[in-house]
């Protein structure tokens, strides 16, 4: 089942993940599986209520075996993502993991180097501000809340969204 995305159309923040997992595939909703529930918890803890943002994915259908989407699958779904960005006009796009981060920022650099800052890029004929974050499936395997660890860093990244959620652009 295709998973298109959900959230308020007037949100200034768009989260873009890689693609649906098994639970998302069954429900037709993004980020509702174990990783998605964990992401929602972290968002809430950081003051970013899930219902205040729009959430979608690069690809609309679950890749077989829950693998990373292949370039042809990304290319097939790219017009949907471009149109979504065109319709929503987000002030900031939060890329969840390597696949969307590398796609939007047009880079081969990994998430560990990309996260922690806002990046400006051109995508889908628009200038975007992008904030990459670690994927929640990685955080589920790295749950230490110690300062400087991935979970702590992700909470910092999510907290950095507060100006956009408050209606202003920093």
């Amino acid at each position: 089942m295709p998973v298109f995305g959900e959230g308020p159309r007037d949100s200034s923040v768009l989260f873009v993940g890689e693609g649906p997992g098994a639970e998302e595939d069954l429900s037709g909703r993004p980020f509702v599986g174990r990783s998605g529930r964990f992401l929602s918890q972290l968002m809430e803890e950081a003051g970013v209520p899930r219902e205040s943002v729009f959430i979608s994915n690069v690809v609309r259908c679950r890749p077989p075996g829950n693998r990373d989407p292949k370039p042809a699958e990304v290319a097939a779904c790219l017009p949907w993502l471009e149109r979504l960005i065109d319709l929503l006009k987000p002030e900031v796009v939060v890329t969840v993991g390597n696949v969307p981060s590398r796609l939007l920022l047009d880079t081969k650099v990994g998430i560990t180097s990309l996260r922690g800052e806002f990046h400006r890029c051109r995508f889908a004929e628009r200038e975007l501000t992008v904030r990459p974050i670690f994927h929640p499936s990685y955080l589920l395997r790295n749950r230490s809340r110690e300062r400087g660890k991935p979970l702590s860093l992700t909470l910092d990244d999510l907290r950095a969204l507060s100006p956009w959620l408050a209606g202003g652009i920093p």
Side-chain angles (χ1 to χ4, degrees):
M1 167 185 297
V3 179
F4 292 100
E6 67 181 20
R9 185 163 180 225
D10 63 347
S11 176
S12 58
V13 180
L14 168 63
F15 277 65
V16 178
E18 174 181 300
E23 289 184 52
E24 292 81 3
D25 193 41
L26 290 171
S27 70
R29 297 182 60 220
F31 282 94
V32 294
R34 184 171 178 238
S35 292
R37 289 189 302 271
F38 190 53
L39 178 61
S40 294
Q41 290 171 5
L42 295 175
M43 290 167 64
E44 197 70 36
E45 183 176 336
V48 181
R50 180 180 169 121
E51 60 274 3
S52 70
V53 303
F54 199 96
I55 300 179
S56 191
N57 285 298
V58 171
V59 296
R60 304 293 176 241
C61 297
R62 180 178 182 222
N66 210 31
R67 62 164 165 70
D68 284 351
K70 292 184 177 181
E73 294 165 332
V74 171
C77 291
L78 202 52
W80 291 101
L81 181 59
E82 291 171 343
R83 183 68 178 136
L84 180 67
I85 289 171
D86 188 47
L87 287 170
L88 297 177
K89 297 173 181 45
E91 300 295 338
V92 66
V93 178
V94 179
T95 52
V96 183
N98 270 322
V99 171
S101 299
R102 289 176 171 166
L103 175 69
L104 268 69
L105 297 174
D106 191 25
T107 185
K108 294 193 184 306
V109 175
I111 191 70
T112 302
S113 297
L114 293 172
R115 61 124 320 264
E117 59 186 271
F118 291 97
H119 302 264
R120 295 289 297 162
C121 69
R122 186 150 185 87
F123 182 82
E125 304 300 317
R126 297 187 63 80
E127 291 293 324
L128 296 177
T129 299
V130 175
R131 182 72 177 219
I133 66 170
F134 288 118
H135 196 282
S137 63
Y138 173 72
L139 299 173
L140 282 167
R141 298 185 305 272
N142 296 278
R143 288 185 178 236
S144 172
R145 289 182 170 266
E146 184 180 327
R147 195 87 194 120
K149 297 288 186 181
L151 183 56
S152 172
L153 296 171
T154 299
L155 287 167
D156 290 344
D157 290 336
L158 292 169
R159 287 183 187 111
L161 301 172
S162 61
W164 278 276
L165 293 169
I169 302 171

